């Protein structure tokens, strides 16, 4: 039993970082990585067809995607997105909203300055 254990410890497998890479091993590794990348890209291209932008959901089959498109959840999110767009257009877009907020902030600052001045005038002078 000791002989087997001693032999096993002497002949341990080398880690990947310990193995020297030959040009052939490097070439094979690169080819495998390129093949994996091309498979992943092909898969992404195929799955892109079953992606719902409105709900930000990915489906793998046509039937799942078709079921999703007719679901209450999809229609609810779609109506909500349309409502938000309509509200944004009604409000005048992002620039108008930012301008309105800026005017409101200026008004608040003016009012605050008036209150500070009134409080300073009403306060008794320090002894």
């Amino acid at each position: 039993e000791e002989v087997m254990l001693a032999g096993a410890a002497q002949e341990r497998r080398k880690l990947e970082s310990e193995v020297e890479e030959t040009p052939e091993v490097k070439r094979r590794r690169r080819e495998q990585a390129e093949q994996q990348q091309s498979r992943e890209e092909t898969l992404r291209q195929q799955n892109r067809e079953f992606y719902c932008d409105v709900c930000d959901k990915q489906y793998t089959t046509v039937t799942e995607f078709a079921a999703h498109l007719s679901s209450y959840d999809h229609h609810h999110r779609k109506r909500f997105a349309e409502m938000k767009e309509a509200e944004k257009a009604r409000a005048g877009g992002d620039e108008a909203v930012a301008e309105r907020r800026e005017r409101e902030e200026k008004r608040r600052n003016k009012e605050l300055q008036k209150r500070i001045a009134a409080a300073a005038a009403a306060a008794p002078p320090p002894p």
Side-chain angles (χ1 to χ4, degrees):
E1 206 175 295
E2 281 185 30
V3 174
M4 286 182 64
L5 288 177
Q10 289 175 353
E11 297 178 23
R12 74 171 176 79
R13 288 183 59 197
K14 291 184 177 183
L15 299 173
E16 286 184 22
S17 60
E18 295 174 328
V19 176
E20 289 186 38
E21 274 192 326
T22 64
E24 177 64 24
V25 171
K26 283 183 183 180
R27 186 185 58 75
R28 265 190 278 138
R29 185 174 43 82
R30 281 194 197 114
E31 285 176 359
Q32 287 175 346
E34 288 171 2
Q35 287 174 351
Q36 180 67 22
Q37 277 183 329
S38 69
R39 278 185 290 223
E40 288 173 1
E41 183 59 33
T42 304
L43 240 152
R44 265 190 244 115
Q45 290 292 335
Q46 290 173 349
N47 287 340
R48 192 172 293 151
E49 297 172 12
F50 307 122
Y51 178 74
C52 178
D53 290 325
V54 175
C55 303
D56 191 29
K57 292 183 179 179
Q58 180 72 48
Y59 294 94
T60 55
T61 64
V62 174
T63 53
E64 286 177 340
F65 187 56
H68 167 74
L69 291 178
S70 63
S71 71
Y72 172 81
D73 186 41
H74 173 75
H75 288 291
H76 178 74
R77 288 176 191 254
K78 185 177 174 184
R79 283 191 307 272
F80 185 71
E82 290 170 354
M83 182 192 70
K84 279 176 63 176
E85 286 298 317
E87 180 62 26
K88 189 183 281 188
R90 187 188 68 77
D94 292 336
E95 294 157 1
V97 170
E99 187 178 319
R100 215 171 310 138
R101 284 185 184 149
E102 192 175 309
R103 283 196 311 261
E104 181 66 23
E105 185 67 28
K106 284 181 182 178
R107 187 191 62 75
R108 282 191 201 131
N109 284 338
K110 226 181 211 184
E111 188 177 318
L112 184 62
Q113 292 300 325
K114 285 181 183 177
R115 286 184 180 179
I116 290 172

